[in-house]
Amino acid sequence: MQKTWFPLESNPEVMNTYMGKLGLNTGLYRFVDIFSTEEWALDMVPKPALAVLLLFPLANVEEEHRLNQAREIEANGQHVGENVFYMKQTIGNACGTIGLLHAVGNARRIQADLVVPGSHLETLLDTTSTLEPEKIAEHLENDNTLEEVHTDAATQGQTEVVEDIDNHFVCFVQVDGHIYELDGRKQFPINHGPSSTDTFLLDAVNVVQQFMSRQPEEQRFTMVALAPASDE
């Protein structure tokens, strides 16, 4: 029987408390809202952004896109760098935690002081950094500390806690000059093309706009960035 957690809210305050308990150095790096895809909103995000999380509604059009995308990649191939940290999702409603771990696990290659030394988060990432995506998922299923802290975070949000949801988190990161979409439901990371530290935030938002264009009448899209606590 599949293990199921309570869903995590797209709320930077909750995310910072959650990841701070695990070992994110929240004195230097924090999750912040991205209020819009427009330039004024991107200018409010401290630079350089290290990761972007998108919460979006699941719908038939997204499922069709996921299947078509997988078929195209299987037929034509894609480049996935060896330094991309990617895991599968086997725990129900754990997409928020998967997204956060994707964000921090990849960003710490850029910012070595992102994670507190000796913390549970450092141990988790060090233990899983060389594992296959399915093995990382298996490790998470047996991580009682992670589950306990996740449960606490999921019940601290501003919305009512429910077990059945129709929203999903994905994470975007820049690794070795490419922007990747990391979604534990998909068969592999998705390479969305060239990127850099300077262009990453705009590159990520451009991909987010592709998600939005598939559901033009839908308003339930929220974005969060992992960024320095203040501009460097």
Side-chain angles (χ1 to χ4, degrees):
M1 184 175 181
Q2 183 189 41
K3 179 178 287 189
T4 301
W5 292 354
F6 289 118
L8 193 68
E9 188 176 280
S10 183
N11 179 327
E13 183 177 349
V14 170
M15 292 175 173
N16 288 324
T17 299
Y18 176 20
M19 296 307 287
K21 288 180 179 179
L22 290 173
L24 177 68
N25 190 345
T26 53
L28 296 177
Y29 305 95
R30 300 183 65 79
F31 290 95
V32 298
D33 280 312
I34 305 175
F35 294 107
S36 169
T37 60
E38 297 180 13
E39 184 176 354
W40 65 265
L42 304 188
D43 287 342
M44 293 175 63
V45 178
K47 307 299 187 294
L50 301 172
V52 170
L53 276 77
L54 169 68
L55 181 67
F56 67 97
L58 292 173
N60 289 337
V61 65
E62 279 298 337
E63 183 64 12
E64 291 173 7
H65 175 76
R66 182 173 73 90
L67 296 174
N68 290 334
Q69 183 183 60
R71 282 193 287 264
E72 181 177 345
I73 291 173
E74 287 171 345
N76 300 319
Q78 67 167 348
H79 168 79
V80 176
E82 62 181 10
N83 290 323
V84 177
F85 177 63
Y86 173 68
M87 68 193 72
K88 302 289 285 186
Q89 179 186 341
T90 56
I91 303 170
N93 293 339
C95 58
T97 288
I98 300 297
L100 293 172
L101 293 176
H102 276 146
V104 176
N106 285 284
R108 75 169 183 153
R109 299 183 186 276
I110 301 173
Q111 299 291 349
D113 57 353
L114 187 69
V115 175
V116 175
S119 65
H120 185 80
L121 184 57
E122 183 187 59
T123 300
L124 188 160
L125 294 174
D126 285 347
T127 302
T128 59
S129 62
T130 60
L131 297 181
E132 294 296 318
E134 293 79 9
K135 290 296 184 181
I136 302 176
E138 185 178 318
H139 181 89
L140 298 187
E141 288 201 25
N142 296 302
D143 189 330
N144 294 329
T145 297
L146 181 65
E147 181 174 1
E148 290 170 5
V149 181
H150 170 100
T151 300
D152 184 57
T155 57
Q156 296 303 311
Q158 299 175 351
T159 56
E160 181 181 358
V161 175
V162 294
E163 291 192 17
D164 296 321
I165 58 171
D166 60 354
N167 295 324
H168 186 65
F169 279 100
V170 296
C171 178
F172 302 97
V173 296
Q174 185 273 131
V175 180
D176 297 336
H178 293 265
I179 180 172
Y180 293 94
E181 171 193 338
L182 305 177
D183 180 346
R185 298 183 314 141
K186 294 191 173 182
Q187 297 179 40
F188 26 65
I190 307 298
N191 187 333
H192 284 284
S195 186
S196 69
T197 300
D198 292 336
T199 66
F200 166 68
L201 181 58
L202 181 59
D203 296 334
V205 168
N206 286 338
V207 180
V208 168
Q209 289 176 320
Q210 297 175 25
F211 279 75
M212 292 178 170
S213 69
R214 291 193 287 272
Q215 299 187 66
E217 304 301 320
E218 183 59 72
Q219 301 296 317
R220 293 175 297 159
F221 291 91
T222 61
M223 294 179 292
V224 173
L226 174 61
S230 60
D231 282 313
E232 296 182 347

